[in-house]
Amino acid sequence: MPEPRGMPGRGPMGGPPRGGPHGPMVREKPKNAAGTLKRLVIYIGKNKYLLMGLLVVMLAVTLLSLAGPALQADAIDAITITDSRLQVDFQGLFKMLVLLGITYVLSSVFTYFQGIFAAKLSQTTVRNMRADLFSKIERLPIRYLDTHQHGDIMSRMTNDVENVSNTISQSIASLFSSVLTILGTLVIMLSYNPLMTLVSIVTVPLSLLASVYMSRFMRKYFLRQQTLLGNLNGHIEEMVTGYKTVMAYGREARAVEEFSEISGNLKNCSIRAQIFGGVMGPLMNFIGNFGYLLIAVAGGYMALHGVITVGVIQAFLIYSKQFTRPITEVANQYAQILTAMAGAERVFAVMDHPSEDAGGDAPVTPENVRGDLSFRHIDFSYIPGEQVLKDFQLEVKSGQKIAIVGATGSGKTTVVNLLTRFYDVDGGEILLDGVNIRDIPKDNLRRSIAIVLQDTVLFSDTVAANIRYGRLDASMEEVKAAAAAANADLFIERLPEGYDTVLSESGGNLSGGQRQLLSIARAVLANPKILILDEATSSVDTRTEMHIQQAMIALMQNRTSLIIAHRLSTIRDADKIIVIDGGRVAESGSHEELLEKKGCYYRLYQNQFAGKQI
């Protein structure tokens, strides 16, 4: 049987186990909220012209909002009662009303532009974040992708970044204008009456205490909510990808049960998060209204004693609202801010993970590679303590065809992982043309190697584009020549649009053999010095296998070839057959030599032709 790519407990290509069925462990609180905020500010600051424009507009909006209550106070004070007679300064009242009208019109215009600048700033910022995150994901070590749910990684790219976007567009203007409004309001209130100013701000410490106290309960729930959302996406991605397997084994009910469990945990956590987030706004409103009452009582008392006018009381009532409004707004948006902070922290956690190293600087290029390989005393384990290869040794000369066989889990695919430096050896060394592959730039190393896998990876693009993935600068004539060499040209020409036919996701509108032939055509176009065929014919029928074998024979000409196969009939013409058992090379030799020894290879051969699994 072929060595499965998706074995329980293993990642792709026989890698280490991924996270558990519900993803990674959930953290209860942010590791570094201050550091996360600082990095967000740096991202926002990259758009300095948009930021400066937003600040200027917000400054205008704030100044206009501060001018409004003062103009209202003057308008009210233009109406007085003297000796029980109503006195109205019509000229002064008209002037104030005109100024008020101009103030409110300008405030509306600037508020409109504030929304435009905030939207552009948020979208530009998250675009930069997404670009950096995607670039980072492309440079992550294979081990990271093997040990983390793909759905959770996708959730960081989509949900978490989107939460940051919403917060920037809705909250950043509030946060900046809050500082300006508080300072401006405080200065104006002090100019009117210091004692009334003290009465107006007496509830501020109470508001701050309430915010700090409530945040202790809210923070952990919003972070856990984002983590559970990532777990849910990971489960959905697994179930959709493995839908046929779920159906084949009748595990639909189990899949729904697991989904319901994760979704239920997310629901319970979200309810708690929203409850605490929803309590903050009403609580702050209550404190604000209590302060409003204090101002009315104190102002009325002072007005009766001639200390201040009725207009000033009106101004203080409005300014007190403006003073506490920023705190209330931040409190109302605190839940969203926490969600964004939690999401940003998860995004930065991926960005901070060490990138895959680029390799050394040895002057080895795909053009000058001969193809001599040497595996010397290789020790390797995906998980510490569970060794896969033990003192593995293998010598391959340029142009040789080497077949690697062994029982499932013996380490055949691991040899490929180590040669391509998807993983690095724990001990020993691998040499290419006498140079340690650690000293070769990874890009040059991998461009010298082409891999044809059992599970062909095709993209939702044209047939020609999928073949050209082997060499992006190839001409259409070279693409067609590669397809002809791979025996793929006949079926391609029968497709509705020929080479311009757009494939569905993963090439679902092609048969398994056709997908494999496209993979071989891609490898032909790449023109590698080293070719790896990893169970390339194990999942197709015998007739299709014959076409693929013919294509592979042409592909292996004058190339160093490593053939990993379970169908032993396909490797009889290999220059040497290597049998791996227990992580070591148990036997090596030609097909006839190994049969004569009647050892591991002989037992594998007999079992296969007896119809037994290997």
Side-chain angles (χ1 to χ4, degrees):
M1 289 179 62
E3 187 172 2
R5 293 292 172 276
M7 293 186 296
R10 292 277 181 196
M13 292 287 290
R18 290 180 181 169
H22 305 309
M25 292 292 292
V26 175
R27 293 170 290 136
E28 292 299 321
K29 58 182 180 180
K31 291 181 179 179
N32 187 359
T36 301
L37 180 60
K38 180 179 179 181
R39 294 178 68 171
L40 275 176
V41 170
I42 292 174
Y43 265 101
I44 295 170
K46 290 181 179 179
N47 308 292
K48 57 182 180 180
Y49 295 113
L50 277 175
L51 183 59
M52 289 174 59
L54 180 61
L55 287 174
V56 169
V57 171
M58 285 191 301
L59 178 61
V61 171
T62 302
L63 292 176
L64 290 170
S65 67
L66 292 174
L71 294 174
Q72 288 184 30
D74 290 341
I76 292 173
D77 287 341
I79 305 173
T80 59
I81 298 177
T82 306
D83 297 329
S84 300
R85 294 183 62 184
L86 182 66
Q87 300 289 331
V88 180
D89 179 4
F90 287 102
Q91 184 177 358
L93 178 60
F94 179 77
K95 179 181 178 182
M96 291 302 107
L97 292 177
V98 171
L99 290 175
L100 271 174
I102 295 173
T103 298
Y104 291 144
V105 169
L106 290 176
S107 179
S108 298
V109 172
F110 281 113
T111 301
Y112 171 75
F113 283 105
Q114 176 180 306
I116 293 177
F117 281 118
K120 288 186 176 181
L121 180 63
S122 67
Q123 292 305 314
T124 306
T125 299
V126 298
R127 178 188 177 277
N128 292 335
M129 286 186 68
R130 279 201 178 102
D132 289 348
L133 178 58
F134 187 81
S135 176
K136 180 65 179 188
I137 291 174
E138 290 295 296
R139 293 181 285 111
L140 285 173
I142 294 294
R143 185 183 293 273
Y144 183 92
L145 297 176
D146 279 351
T147 54
H148 290 75
Q149 281 190 326
H150 295 170
D152 182 64
I153 296 175
M154 292 169 60
S155 180
R156 300 180 192 223
M157 174 69 74
T158 54
N159 296 325
D160 291 332
V161 175
E162 190 62 30
N163 284 328
V164 173
S165 171
N166 292 335
T167 299
I168 292 175
S169 62
Q170 297 176 19
S171 301
I172 189 170
S174 296
L175 292 174
F176 284 152
S177 64
S178 294
V179 176
L180 298 175
T181 301
I182 290 173
L183 292 176
T185 302
L186 185 61
V187 170
I188 293 176
M189 287 195 300
L190 286 172
S191 67
Y192 274 123
N193 188 287
L195 183 58
M196 281 294 293
T197 302
L198 182 61
V199 173
S200 300
I201 66 175
V202 72
T203 58
V204 172
L206 188 60
S207 300
L208 295 175
L209 286 175
S211 298
V212 172
Y213 183 76
M214 290 296 294
S215 68
R216 295 178 183 177
F217 295 95
M218 295 167 59
R219 184 179 294 112
K220 63 179 181 181
Y221 288 114
F222 279 97
L223 179 59
R224 180 176 173 82
Q225 176 183 331
Q226 290 305 108
T227 305
L228 287 173
L229 184 59
N231 295 344
L232 186 68
N233 288 335
H235 178 74
I236 294 172
E237 189 259 348
E238 286 182 350
M239 292 303 102
V240 172
T241 303
Y243 182 67
K244 290 182 180 179
T245 303
V246 175
M247 295 283 287
Y249 284 92
R251 294 292 185 266
E252 297 94 334
R254 176 59 180 166
V256 171
E257 181 181 338
E258 290 179 349
F259 175 85
S260 298
E261 180 182 351
I262 304 174
S263 182
N265 291 336
L266 176 60
K267 179 201 71 174
N268 294 333
C269 180
S270 298
I271 289 174
R272 292 188 180 94
Q274 295 304 321
I275 286 175
F276 285 114
V279 165
M280 181 70 80
L283 179 61
M284 299 303 293
N285 285 333
F286 172 78
I287 296 174
N289 289 332
F290 178 70
Y292 192 88
L293 178 62
L294 290 179
I295 293 171
V297 173
Y301 178 81
M302 291 185 181
L304 288 175
H305 290 77
V307 177
I308 58 177
T309 64
V310 175
V312 172
I313 297 176
Q314 170 65 16
F316 264 100
L317 289 173
I318 299 175
Y319 281 127
S320 67
K321 283 290 187 181
Q322 288 192 348
F323 189 81
T324 57
R325 177 177 54 80
I327 301 174
T328 304
E329 284 183 352
V330 172
N332 289 335
Q333 296 176 355
Y334 197 69
Q336 182 176 336
I337 293 172
L338 282 181
T339 300
M341 290 287 289
E345 186 177 61
R346 282 162 45 82
V347 170
F348 292 141
V350 176
M351 291 185 182
D352 291 340
H353 193 279
S355 299
E356 183 181 44
D357 70 273
D361 55 1
V364 176
T365 63
E367 292 74 26
N368 63 24
V369 167
R370 297 190 308 273
D372 294 323
L373 296 173
S374 179
F375 295 78
R376 298 181 179 177
H377 306 287
I378 301 299
D379 292 322
F380 177 76
S381 58
Y382 292 107
I383 303 173
E386 298 183 17
Q387 202 162 354
V388 178
L389 295 181
K390 308 168 186 174
D391 196 32
F392 177 84
Q393 299 192 67
L394 175 63
E395 297 291 332
V396 183
K397 297 299 181 182
S398 176
Q400 276 190 319
K401 290 187 291 184
I402 304 298
I404 303 176
V405 301
T408 297
S410 60
K412 304 184 298 298
T413 300
T414 299
V415 174
V416 177
N417 288 339
L418 297 179
L419 176 59
T420 53
R421 286 202 67 192
F422 291 160
Y423 293 86
D424 284 324
V425 299
D426 297 333
E429 60 181 0
I430 302 175
L431 305 180
L432 172 59
D433 295 342
V435 180
N436 193 319
I437 62 172
R438 285 180 178 268
D439 299 328
I440 301 175
K442 279 187 177 178
D443 185 56
N444 290 348
L445 173 67
R446 291 171 180 168
R447 285 195 293 118
S448 304
I449 303 170
I451 305 177
V452 179
L453 299 171
Q454 172 188 355
D455 299 324
T456 304
V457 176
L458 296 177
F459 303 98
S460 299
D461 206 335
T462 64
V463 170
N466 273 278
I467 297 175
R468 192 177 279 114
Y469 204 77
R471 183 159 56 85
L472 297 178
D473 61 350
S475 66
M476 194 62 200
E477 290 71 22
E478 290 173 315
V479 169
K480 291 182 177 180
N487 289 335
D489 55 334
L490 294 179
F491 89 82
I492 293 175
E493 291 170 357
R494 292 196 296 268
L495 293 174
E497 303 294 332
Y499 286 88
D500 294 325
T501 300
V502 177
L503 302 182
S504 61
E505 184 178 3
S506 301
N509 50 345
L510 300 179
S511 69
Q514 290 171 335
R515 290 195 296 269
Q516 201 64 273
L517 290 174
L518 286 186
S519 179
I520 293 173
R522 180 188 293 169
V524 171
L525 189 63
N527 193 26
K529 297 298 177 66
I530 300 171
L531 177 65
I532 298 172
L533 303 174
D534 192 355
E535 302 172 15
T537 64
S538 60
S539 62
V540 298
D541 60 82
T542 305
R543 181 170 180 174
T544 304
E545 180 184 355
M546 291 176 59
H547 292 289
I548 295 177
Q549 285 288 349
Q550 293 173 0
M552 289 194 303
I553 290 173
L555 179 59
M556 289 187 289
Q557 290 292 329
N558 302 318
R559 291 183 174 91
T560 301
S561 303
L562 298 181
I563 309 166
I564 298 174
H566 281 284
R567 292 186 181 179
L568 303 186
S569 60
T570 65
I571 58 173
R572 290 185 177 184
D573 62 342
D575 296 322
K576 185 187 295 185
I577 298 174
I578 305 297
V579 183
I580 300 180
D581 185 36
R584 294 183 173 89
V585 176
E587 294 176 341
S588 65
S590 67
H591 174 72
E592 291 75 15
E593 290 172 346
L594 293 178
L595 287 181
E596 289 179 3
K597 290 182 180 180
K598 294 190 176 181
C600 294
Y601 183 80
Y602 178 82
R603 290 192 296 272
L604 290 172
Y605 190 81
Q606 292 298 319
N607 286 341
Q608 187 167 107
F609 278 87
K612 299 179 181 178
Q613 292 182 348
I614 299 176

